[in-house]
Amino acid sequence: MVMAANYRMVLPDAELLQQELKITRLLLESRAALSLKSRKP
């Protein structure tokens, strides 16, 4: 039980994690879109 309590203390706020994941997803999607556009003749 102590390990679980320590693990929970180390994690950042859930809202912050969601924001970071959203930003990362948008960046990856935009990179993929740009990559596809550059491949078109």
Side-chain angles (χ1 to χ4, degrees):
M1 198 62 145
V2 173
M3 284 182 66
N6 287 339
Y7 181 73
R8 185 174 175 91
M9 288 175 45
V10 173
L11 288 175
D13 181 51
E15 187 174 321
L16 177 63
L17 280 174
Q18 288 177 343
Q19 289 174 352
E20 290 294 330
L21 286 171
K22 181 179 178 182
I23 291 168
T24 302
R25 179 178 51 80
L26 292 172
L27 286 171
L28 289 171
E29 288 174 353
S30 65
R31 282 184 68 186
L34 290 173
S35 177
L36 290 175
K37 285 181 182 178
S38 68
R39 290 182 183 181
K40 291 184 180 178

